[in-house]
Amino acid sequence: MTTTNKAQMPPGSREQTPASDGLQAGLKDRHLSMIAIGGVIGAGLFVGSSSGIATAGPGILLSYALVGTMVVLVMRMLGEMSAANPTSGSFSAHADRALGRWAGFSIGWLYWFFWVVVLAVEATAGAVILEGWIPAVPQWAWALIVMVVLTATNLVSVSSYGEFEFWFAGIKVVAIAAFIVVGGLAVFGVLPGVDSRSAGLANLTSHGGFLPNGPGAILTGMLLVVFSFMGSEIVTLAAGETADPRRAVTKATNSVIWRIAVFYLGSIFVVVTLLPWNDPSVTEKGSYVAALDSLDIAHAGQIMNFIVLTSVLSCLNSGLYTASRMVFSLGERGDAPKSFARTTSRGAPVAAVLASVAFGFVAVFFNYAYPDTIFLFLVNSSGAVALFVWLVICFSQLRLRKVIERDEPEKLVVRMWLYPYLTWATIALIVFVLGYMLTDTEHDNREILLLSLLVAALVVAIALVRERIGSASGTGKDQRDETAVRP
């Protein structure tokens, strides 16, 4: 990697290099392609869209479109930075370089916290489905089993993670594609053997209009669906373990638009045209199950449960991978115990994986022992981390674009559109969403934001205290003097 001009980096930042020390390029092109596609199809799309549809009606399409646009812009910025400087820490490493060590430390640990809590949420969701199929095995045992199995795949090698994710994501992609095709044919009345009287484009306007609850419901809908998009950024972490990280990031970044358009907007469009948005079954059964049931497809509920279970396992698999790679990067940069940066001969960061899954197991225990107190706090306090991450990506890109243009313009193989105007517009939109969360008490978004801000403030405070102590004691002084810069 070309050495960055020291005069361009902010004080306290450090030069980053691609994740080649210990980690191995075990992910193939097909693995990363499916990770990129599957990363935008979380279990939240299947189980979380019902509340959004019930709140905004057909107008939920605009909510998804607005959030999708925001994610596309953020991913474009992240792609620009990651293609120029591939690294296992992705946006955390970029924030470290662009904004200072405190920023990389803070957003890295917050992101890790988010994903280890997700491990518990998804393990429990999967256990509920599995217990329904095999009630002889208790729910807690199913949660333990799926956590242990996916921990094992992550401990073996990155290629085993990639293989599992390839098939998990593949099932999700095929299922969504089939749902869109079958549902679309039914909407236009050309599905053989099906006479769905409730299906049709008229469902977009016939039941109180396109915005039955008013334009404000679009914003509320955004709050309900925004977190289902978390995971799009995983591909930039995984790209560091491919043979050609720059090409992998470029390809994934360029395809994010059609992925969101097809899998989110396409499938939600089918749902709200197959049956009225205010049909009770949407909230009782879930939007996708209700849509399939409206076509009288046999065993629709079990089919959808299988797809949701696959999504849950995919999310668990990727969540453990992502959390371990983030804490691995933090260990490399001295912001986590050095043991987290050690790998096996197969390139697996064992300590990082075990530390992440250990916290996940603790969170699962809290979910069963204290679901309405400790676990609820963990879930709510990590709820707004996605927006914090996207905001940090925006500010990092604003700073690093100037550095890359000045020192290494040949590395700008991915460019943010209309820089810096669209970057600032994205920042304004994210800040607006955060501000709107403060007004939403009906869906607990106000509490989620306040608790998330509390945890974020605590982590930032720890980062600043560490820096001050390090400066006072001279610890790391040589490293900071070597890479510190004037803005």
Side-chain angles (χ1 to χ4, degrees):
M1 176 177 170
T2 307
T3 303
T4 301
N5 187 333
K6 298 170 187 176
Q8 312 307 325
M9 294 171 59
S13 63
R14 292 155 296 162
E15 175 72 10
Q16 305 302 327
T17 57
S20 56
D21 239 356
L23 296 181
Q24 297 180 2
L27 292 177
K28 301 176 182 177
D29 283 350
R30 66 182 178 87
H31 292 153
L32 202 72
S33 295
M34 203 55 75
I35 290 170
I37 296 172
V40 297
I41 310 174
L45 174 62
F46 298 108
V47 299
S49 56
S50 300
S51 57
I53 293 172
T55 298
I60 194 66
L61 286 167
L62 296 180
S63 302
Y64 272 103
L66 286 170
V67 177
T69 299
M70 184 167 67
V71 172
V72 166
L73 294 174
V74 169
M75 281 299 296
R76 188 74 184 182
M77 295 178 230
L78 182 55
E80 177 183 289
M81 295 184 290
S82 296
N85 183 32
T87 173
S88 62
S90 187
F91 53 83
S92 173
H94 302 322
D96 189 313
R97 184 182 176 204
L99 307 175
R101 184 170 188 171
W102 68 270
F105 174 96
S106 301
I107 206 63
W109 277 112
L110 284 172
Y111 192 68
W112 177 85
F113 174 58
F114 171 86
W115 279 110
V116 293
V117 172
V118 166
L119 293 181
V121 174
E122 300 295 342
T124 303
V128 170
I129 295 174
L130 289 167
E131 186 189 30
W133 291 343
I134 309 178
V137 180
Q139 194 179 118
W140 66 266
W142 279 122
L144 179 66
I145 290 169
V146 296
M147 289 276 278
V148 168
V149 170
L150 294 178
T151 299
T153 67
N154 275 268
L155 285 175
V156 174
S157 66
V158 68
S159 60
S160 63
Y161 154 74
E163 199 63 34
F164 267 75
E165 189 56 24
F166 175 81
W167 291 106
F168 286 152
I171 292 173
K172 289 192 294 185
V173 169
V174 170
I176 287 285
F179 176 82
I180 292 173
V181 171
V182 171
L185 292 174
V187 168
F188 292 101
V190 292
L191 182 64
V194 172
D195 181 21
S196 179
R197 297 180 181 180
S198 64
L201 296 178
N203 284 324
L204 294 174
T205 56
S206 294
H207 306 277
F210 186 69
L211 297 172
N213 297 321
I218 297 173
L219 300 177
T220 305
M222 287 180 65
L223 301 184
L224 296 175
V225 306
V226 64
F227 304 111
S228 66
F229 283 83
M230 190 67 163
S232 304
E233 67 291 329
I234 291 175
V235 68
T236 61
L237 282 90
E241 294 178 78
T242 62
D244 190 349
R246 185 165 287 113
R247 185 178 69 84
V249 168
T250 302
K251 183 178 179 181
T253 302
N254 289 336
S255 65
V256 71
I257 296 176
W258 72 260
R259 286 186 274 130
I260 288 177
V262 172
F263 295 116
Y264 276 88
L265 292 177
S267 64
I268 294 297
F269 174 81
V270 168
V271 169
V272 296
T273 51
L274 276 179
L275 73 173
W277 69 272
N278 54 359
D279 190 304
S281 64
V282 172
T283 51
E284 291 171 3
K285 300 178 180 179
S287 54
Y288 286 79
V289 172
L292 288 175
D293 276 347
S294 72
L295 301 178
D296 293 326
I297 295 178
H299 309 296
Q302 292 305 320
I303 293 172
M304 188 51 61
N305 275 337
F306 173 74
I307 296 169
V308 171
L309 178 62
T310 303
S311 296
V312 164
L313 295 177
S314 171
C315 192
L316 264 172
N317 195 37
S318 289
L320 184 53
Y321 170 83
T322 304
S324 64
R325 267 35 177 201
M326 182 55 73
V327 83
F328 169 87
S329 176
L330 289 167
E332 276 198 320
R333 289 178 273 148
D335 290 335
K338 284 294 183 184
S339 60
F340 289 168
R342 298 189 189 123
T343 60
T344 65
S345 58
R346 291 175 174 266
V350 174
V353 171
L354 292 179
S356 300
V357 80
F359 193 96
F361 277 125
V362 171
V364 168
F365 168 75
F366 285 146
N367 192 14
Y368 288 107
Y370 311 102
D372 299 322
T373 53
I374 298 177
F375 186 71
L376 184 62
F377 170 80
L378 291 176
V379 172
N380 286 345
S381 61
S382 64
V385 167
L387 291 167
F388 297 163
V389 167
W390 297 342
L391 202 56
V392 166
I393 289 172
C394 292
F395 282 112
S396 298
Q397 189 265 343
L398 278 175
R399 195 68 174 275
L400 287 182
R401 173 65 172 265
K402 297 176 183 177
V403 176
I404 300 169
E405 281 184 329
R406 190 176 306 164
D407 299 336
E408 304 164 307
E410 72 282 359
K411 290 188 175 182
L412 274 176
V413 293
V414 175
R415 289 175 178 265
M416 177 58 184
W417 305 297
L418 297 178
Y419 167 83
Y421 307 109
L422 272 183
T423 301
W424 280 113
T426 307
I427 290 172
L429 181 57
I430 295 173
V431 170
F432 174 78
V433 171
L434 287 168
Y436 193 73
M437 286 182 73
L438 288 173
T439 69
D440 183 32
T441 55
E442 182 182 353
H443 301 96
D444 298 325
N445 279 302
R446 178 187 176 91
E447 181 182 1
I448 289 173
L449 178 59
L450 292 177
L451 288 176
S452 298
L453 285 172
L454 175 65
V455 171
L458 178 62
V459 175
V460 170
I462 293 172
L464 294 175
V465 169
R466 286 180 77 255
E467 277 199 33
R468 178 160 294 189
I469 292 175
S471 298
S473 64
T475 303
K477 182 176 185 301
D478 293 341
Q479 183 185 40
R480 282 195 300 275
D481 286 348
E482 188 176 323
T483 58
V485 292
R486 298 183 302 275

